[in-house]
Amino acid sequence: MRTPRERHVFAVLGAVLLAYLLYPFFAFFSGTRGADVTGDLRSPETQEAVVNSLVTAPVATAIAAVFGVPLAYFLARAEFRGKGVVEAVVILPLVLPPVVGGSMLLMGFGRFTTVGGAAEAVGVPLTDSLVGVVLAQTFVSAPFVVITSRAGFSSVDEHLEQASRTMGHGPVATFWNVSLPSARSAVAAGVVLTFARAVGEFGATMMTAYNPRTMPTRIWVDFIAGGIDGVVALSLVLIVISTTVIVAVQRLEKVPTVRD
Amino acid sequence: MLEVRNLTKKYGNEAAVKEISFVADEGEFVTLLGPSGCGKTTVLKAVAGLEKPDNGKVLLRNEDVTGTKPEERNVGIVFQSSSLFPRMTVRENVEYALKPHVTDRGERRERAEDVLGLVKIAEKADTYPDSLSGGEARRAELARALSYKPDVMLLDEPLTGLDRALRTEIRDEIKRIQVETGVTMLFVTHDQEEAISVSDRIVVLNDGEKEQAGTPRRLYRRPETRFVAEFVGESTRFDGVVEEGGKGVRLTTGAKVGVNGRGEGDEGNKASVYVRPENVELEEGDHNNVFSGEVVEVTEMGSYAEARVETERVGEVITKVDGFSDVREGEDVVVGFDDSDAIVVADDA
């Protein structure tokens, strides 16, 4: 962009989108003054939903990170036949409508399936349970940690790892001491984004675990029962969590934020 | 100490390295010299265990290590670009390198300080890599690779990216450290001046194959192939046919160049005669190869100048003269060189 005038064109066009993005927030905060936020937050149903979300989302995030970070590293370093297919599988849950993902999870883990039936028999139902919530959250949120971490690992100079190996460190020690610390900003950002996606998950969770309620499913139930005023309290909680996530991600650098 | 035997490495159907063999004795400074893409880094990585050869062997201390992992070989490596761990200070980098070799933390710290002192980077011990200059980063990497006393140090174009003064400084430093520690070094470069200045022995590679191995003096004075004659050092080339039992070469221009028996055994064969610029004088003297001509170009290099003389009988001849001398373009001169300074390389070499 050579001149200020050229910059203005981009700024004006961008401002249109920015206004559209901000308008719902403005409308939400100005149109819901009649809501009993404090009272709603004190209700047992709301508190249960908050607890359920804050229990399941970290578990889903941990599962996605424990298995997703190694997958990300493998994809960043290995060349093999069918790599494109593996990458497509990783991205698929991102582009798939969550309710479709939820339907597939039901067909794979529902109580009338082999896996779901066996789990239920030992007292661990995979649907309509907190485990079901975790399954849905992990399915839709795991791609974030894999994709972001993979980008981080790809940017780490392979010579660092090769130098570590020649010093006498094995591949695991090299990953732990060199690769992971070098890509830690991207990995951490991936974990934070995964948590954000998991805590806000609705579509797939509706299919696999309508009960027990998480914050998003509680919002839906409250909306159906009491209209827009009934969802303000939990929406505010989710907005606070999302805002915290954005700040965390921006502080972690080198991540897909709007900051340079 | 290090032996590479018939090493071959292919990428797809393309052989990057073909049947390379050479030896580096204990405490020797061996350089793999060749142009970009000649396979020298592939050889280095095969020695480090970072590339698996398709054929051939790598022996360290007379032990076949071809199938072993990099961490099992005890080699040190310094790459072209910085490979210092960015989240560790210089000292932590060195201590991390020492960890698999020295279990005692106190001893690790002590050895790290010793080696940082040896490469003169001790004052930057607590600095992170992104705050180091290019020269300091190179020193830190050398310290890290030396710290655990590797059987062989591998240096992959470690002077790339440094300015001229720093290149000379670090090059001399590498040589000093090698002499002081007695570590065997395998150095990779495309710069023939660099190779000549530091090496005990040079292995010249071209297109994945070994052209010639020998001391810098041998390679410079007695190149055995056309590639080595032209890649190592500058020279004037004359093409012709060997005659008089190898004592002379009849050029395509009709003139004869005396080569003092260097063409022996190649009677009647096509060959090239190479003469180094420093062996050509702008005077008749008592040289037995003398040709008259005109100076067509003088390129000043500071301490010397390169003069190109166009002769009628043998074509262009390059000579070195004093820097900023009185030699002028357009001047009529004679060029002379001894037949004993002629290098003869047969066409099939």
Side-chain angles (χ1 to χ4, degrees):
Chain A
M1 286 183 237
R2 275 177 278 173
T3 64
R5 183 184 290 267
E6 284 171 331
R7 275 200 294 275
H8 288 153
V9 173
F10 291 95
V12 168
L13 289 172
V16 174
L17 180 67
L18 198 63
Y20 173 67
L21 295 177
L22 282 172
Y23 175 69
F25 284 90
F26 173 76
F28 179 80
F29 286 113
S30 59
T32 56
R33 282 184 191 145
D36 179 14
V37 174
T38 319
D40 285 349
L41 282 176
R42 283 195 186 130
S43 84
E45 292 83 4
T46 302
Q47 289 186 356
E48 188 200 349
V50 172
V51 169
N52 284 344
S53 281
L54 292 182
V55 165
T56 53
V59 172
T61 305
I63 292 169
V66 166
F67 298 102
V69 173
L71 175 61
Y73 182 67
F74 180 73
L75 288 173
R77 289 290 176 254
E79 291 302 328
F80 57 92
R81 273 177 90 172
K83 189 175 174 180
V85 176
V86 175
E87 288 171 333
V89 170
V90 170
I91 296 169
L92 206 56
L94 270 186
V95 292
L96 208 62
V99 281
V100 177
S103 307
M104 295 192 306
L105 285 171
L106 260 185
M107 293 173 90
F109 300 104
R111 67 185 56 188
F112 302 113
T113 65
T114 312
V115 178
E120 183 131 358
V122 294
V124 188
L126 301 182
T127 51
D128 289 323
S129 65
L130 288 179
V131 176
V133 174
V134 169
L135 284 178
Q137 289 176 339
T138 306
F139 186 81
V140 298
S141 66
F144 284 91
V145 73
V146 179
I147 292 166
T148 314
S149 303
R150 190 218 156 135
F153 288 127
S154 294
S155 68
V156 176
D157 187 348
E158 243 180 301
H159 285 149
L160 268 63
E161 292 161 0
Q162 292 176 341
S164 171
R165 296 289 300 275
T166 60
M167 288 165 196
H169 295 281
V172 176
T174 295
F175 171 79
W176 199 250
N177 293 300
V178 176
S179 319
L180 194 56
S182 301
R184 70 179 181 187
S185 297
V187 173
V191 169
V192 171
L193 289 170
T194 298
F195 174 76
R197 179 68 187 88
V199 83
E201 211 307 297
F202 173 67
T205 313
M206 281 283 284
M207 302 296 284
T208 59
Y210 189 61
N211 281 300
R213 302 267 152 73
T214 58
M215 282 192 273
T217 48
R218 182 84 243 163
I219 287 173
W220 176 249
V221 170
D222 289 347
F223 176 67
I224 296 297
I228 197 72
D229 283 348
V231 308
V232 174
L234 276 176
S235 296
L236 279 173
V237 173
L238 282 174
I239 288 170
V240 168
I241 291 173
S242 304
T243 309
T244 310
V245 165
I246 289 167
V247 172
V249 166
Q250 286 188 326
R251 289 179 74 95
L252 289 167
E253 302 171 346
K254 294 179 186 171
V255 288
T257 74
V258 289
R259 249 174 54 165
D260 284 332
Chain B
M1 172 57 76
L2 166 68
E3 185 181 351
V4 171
R5 210 182 276 171
N6 300 321
L7 194 83
T8 297
K9 174 71 189 172
K10 289 180 183 169
Y11 294 111
N13 291 327
E14 194 83 11
V17 168
K18 299 166 215 159
E19 301 279 316
I20 300 279
S21 296
F22 66 90
V23 173
D25 292 328
E26 185 143 15
E28 205 178 12
F29 198 121
V30 174
T31 295
L32 299 178
L33 173 66
S36 298
C38 73
K40 51 194 190 303
T41 297
T42 304
V43 175
L44 193 94
K45 287 192 166 179
V47 171
L50 300 169
E51 286 281 7
K52 196 174 170 211
D54 293 303
N55 214 347
K57 285 182 176 172
V58 175
L59 291 94
L60 273 170
R61 293 194 178 279
N62 296 320
E63 201 182 307
D64 185 357
V65 295
T66 317
T68 63
K69 295 171 184 166
E71 56 267 32
E72 296 165 349
R73 297 197 179 189
N74 196 34
V75 298
I77 196 160
V78 175
F79 290 106
Q80 206 174 92
S81 56
S82 174
S83 65
L84 290 170
F85 308 129
R87 306 279 186 190
M88 299 182 199
T89 63
V90 170
R91 188 200 309 280
E92 286 164 349
N93 263 276
V94 177
E95 286 183 12
Y96 175 74
L98 280 163
K99 211 170 174 185
H101 309 271
V102 181
T103 46
D104 182 67
R105 187 177 282 188
E107 195 188 333
R108 280 207 296 271
R109 179 150 281 232
E110 211 170 285
R111 282 199 29 196
E113 265 163 34
D114 287 349
V115 77
L116 290 171
L118 174 74
V119 301
K120 300 173 183 168
I121 191 76
E123 75 280 6
K124 297 285 180 184
D126 297 315
T127 308
Y128 281 91
D130 60 2
S131 300
L132 297 175
S133 68
E136 288 165 350
R138 281 287 171 273
R139 284 175 191 273
E141 284 190 79
L142 283 168
R144 191 178 66 175
L146 276 169
S147 64
Y148 50 93
K149 299 184 173 137
D151 288 336
V152 59
M153 269 276 273
L154 310 171
L155 301 113
D156 187 7
E157 308 233 21
L159 307 178
T160 301
L162 304 179
D163 62 46
R164 193 178 169 81
L166 208 50
R167 282 176 81 94
T168 310
E169 183 190 316
I170 300 296
R171 181 195 72 192
D172 294 348
E173 204 52 17
I174 289 171
K175 185 64 187 172
R176 176 188 69 80
I177 290 164
Q178 192 263 336
V179 170
E180 246 175 68
T181 60
V183 67
T184 308
M185 277 197 183
L186 183 61
F187 184 80
V188 159
T189 183
H190 64 274
D191 186 320
Q192 46 97 13
E193 275 181 29
E194 219 165 82
I196 288 172
S197 64
V198 294
S199 313
D200 296 318
R201 225 142 42 77
I202 298 172
V203 180
V204 181
L205 303 183
N206 179 33
D207 200 18
E209 291 183 77
K210 183 169 92 173
E211 289 274 339
Q212 188 180 346
T215 61
R217 182 190 177 94
R218 172 91 195 162
L219 288 173
Y220 192 77
R221 296 254 172 102
R222 294 287 168 260
E224 289 166 7
T225 69
R226 189 183 285 267
F227 177 82
V228 175
E230 292 176 10
F231 191 74
V232 181
E234 207 180 348
S235 53
T236 303
R237 173 177 144 189
F238 310 106
D239 294 332
V241 175
V242 179
E243 59 179 34
E244 295 175 356
K247 286 181 184 164
V249 171
R250 179 71 59 187
L251 306 190
T252 46
T253 59
K256 195 191 85 178
V257 174
V259 295
N260 195 23
R262 294 262 152 72
E264 204 178 320
D266 281 319
E267 173 86 31
N269 288 339
K270 284 185 175 176
S272 295
V273 178
Y274 293 91
V275 186
R276 302 293 187 196
E278 65 273 22
N279 293 329
V280 179
E281 284 190 303
L282 280 184
E283 58 183 51
E284 200 164 329
D286 53 0
H287 301 301
N288 36 26
N289 289 301
V290 177
F291 307 98
S292 56
E294 182 192 330
V295 177
V296 291
E297 190 183 343
V298 177
T299 309
E300 284 296 345
M301 307 297 282
S303 59
Y304 68 94
E306 203 174 74
R308 291 177 182 270
V309 178
E310 188 62 40
T311 70
E312 201 175 304
R313 292 172 59 209
V314 295
E316 189 179 85
V317 179
I318 305 165
T319 179
K320 267 184 182 169
V321 295
D322 291 340
F324 302 104
S325 68
D326 294 332
V327 178
R328 293 281 175 270
E329 287 169 14
E331 191 178 333
D332 288 329
V333 293
V334 289
V335 289
F337 58 90
D338 288 345
D339 55 4
S340 57
D341 288 326
I343 298 162
V344 179
V345 179
D347 260 15
D348 55 2

